[in-house]
Amino acid sequence: MTISRAQYNAEIDATIARALHGDQSAYAALYDQYAAGLYRLCYSLLMNEQDAEDILQESFLYAFKNLHRYDSRKSALKTWLYTIAVSRCRNTYRRKRFLTVDISQWFGAELKAPPAEAPEAAAIRRDASDTITRALGELSPRLREAIVLRYGQGMTYREIAEVMGCPQKTAESRVRLGHQRLRQSLQPVGLGLLEEMLRVH
């Protein structure tokens, strides 16, 4: 049975209240609820499994230590957690170069070739995927964040703005600019595949 957003928020608030009263199972429940999405966010931004795992743990450690400061009237818990994680990702990727990664991993989806795809078509598909990977690597960190939050996490512009710490119009502009730059980079070979990937989410 599908529950409403209000019911969902009430359940999260109740779980938080239990955690603040010392119920360790409530902390575990919050971790289980958000860890997968938070890890995918970190991996999408850092493109490194170990870094993503480290930031995931750091983010939850900080969040649980400061859970008494969270105010559900100001933001959803997911948005609060993502804000914490993005801040820590920024500290990490200021110090490191991005690693290239397969586009299917970046979006958390699988690119499946048609069953009877000819070798030539498969090669074209691989070339397109490589082109997309390079294009994503050329985006600035802020544009990458906006694209990941919008298409990888399905966030609204208001949520993106809150996570990125910028006005909503700026968030909209970054998503639009990031998309435009990807389209320009992919015009020769990978545009169709890019559109296919963006529709996944």
Side-chain angles (χ1 to χ4, degrees):
M1 184 178 68
T2 303
I3 64 172
S4 69
R5 180 177 292 273
Q7 288 174 306
Y8 175 81
N9 290 339
E11 289 181 6
I12 293 298
D13 287 344
T15 304
I16 291 173
R18 284 170 36 219
L20 290 174
H21 281 86
D23 185 345
Q24 294 302 309
S25 68
Y27 284 107
L30 292 172
Y31 184 90
D32 290 343
Q33 178 74 27
Y34 295 103
L38 204 64
Y39 174 82
R40 188 155 64 93
L41 169 69
C42 295
Y43 182 78
S44 297
L45 294 176
L46 300 173
M47 297 186 174
N48 179 280
E49 291 181 2
Q50 187 58 57
D51 287 343
E53 182 64 33
D54 289 346
I55 297 301
L56 174 70
Q57 300 305 326
E58 287 178 20
S59 298
F60 272 108
L61 182 61
Y62 177 87
F64 288 163
K65 280 185 175 181
N66 293 276
L67 195 57
H68 61 284
R69 297 181 180 176
Y70 167 67
D71 187 348
S72 61
R73 295 167 297 182
K74 294 182 178 179
S75 68
L77 183 63
K78 176 181 176 180
T79 305
W80 187 65
L81 289 171
Y82 278 34
T83 303
I84 293 169
V86 166
S87 175
R88 278 151 182 74
C89 285
R90 287 174 177 174
N91 292 335
T92 299
Y93 57 59
R94 283 190 188 109
R95 300 191 304 264
K96 295 189 174 187
R97 292 184 61 197
F98 285 110
L99 302 176
T100 56
V101 66
D102 184 85
I103 183 66
S104 63
Q105 296 178 27
W106 194 86
F107 274 102
E110 291 185 26
L111 279 178
K112 295 183 178 178
E117 188 172 52
E120 295 83 0
I124 292 172
R125 194 176 185 83
R126 282 194 302 273
D127 287 344
S129 182
D130 290 344
T131 301
I132 292 173
T133 298
R134 287 193 298 272
L136 290 169
E138 293 171 359
L139 289 180
S140 69
R142 291 297 186 270
L143 295 187
R144 184 194 300 269
E145 288 172 5
I147 291 292
V148 167
L149 292 170
R150 179 63 174 168
Y151 297 113
Q153 298 294 329
M155 285 191 155
T156 65
Y157 290 119
R158 181 182 61 78
E159 291 170 332
I160 294 170
E162 189 170 344
V163 169
M164 295 187 69
C166 66
Q168 182 170 324
K169 289 295 185 183
T170 301
E172 294 174 7
S173 176
R174 287 175 180 173
V175 171
R176 184 169 58 250
L177 183 57
H179 197 181
Q180 287 174 351
R181 290 191 177 174
L182 287 175
R183 288 175 66 91
Q184 291 168 1
S185 299
L186 301 173
Q187 200 70 40
V189 60
L191 185 55
L193 188 54
L194 171 65
E195 296 296 342
E196 176 184 333
M197 290 308 302
L198 296 186
R199 285 196 298 270
V200 170
H201 300 283

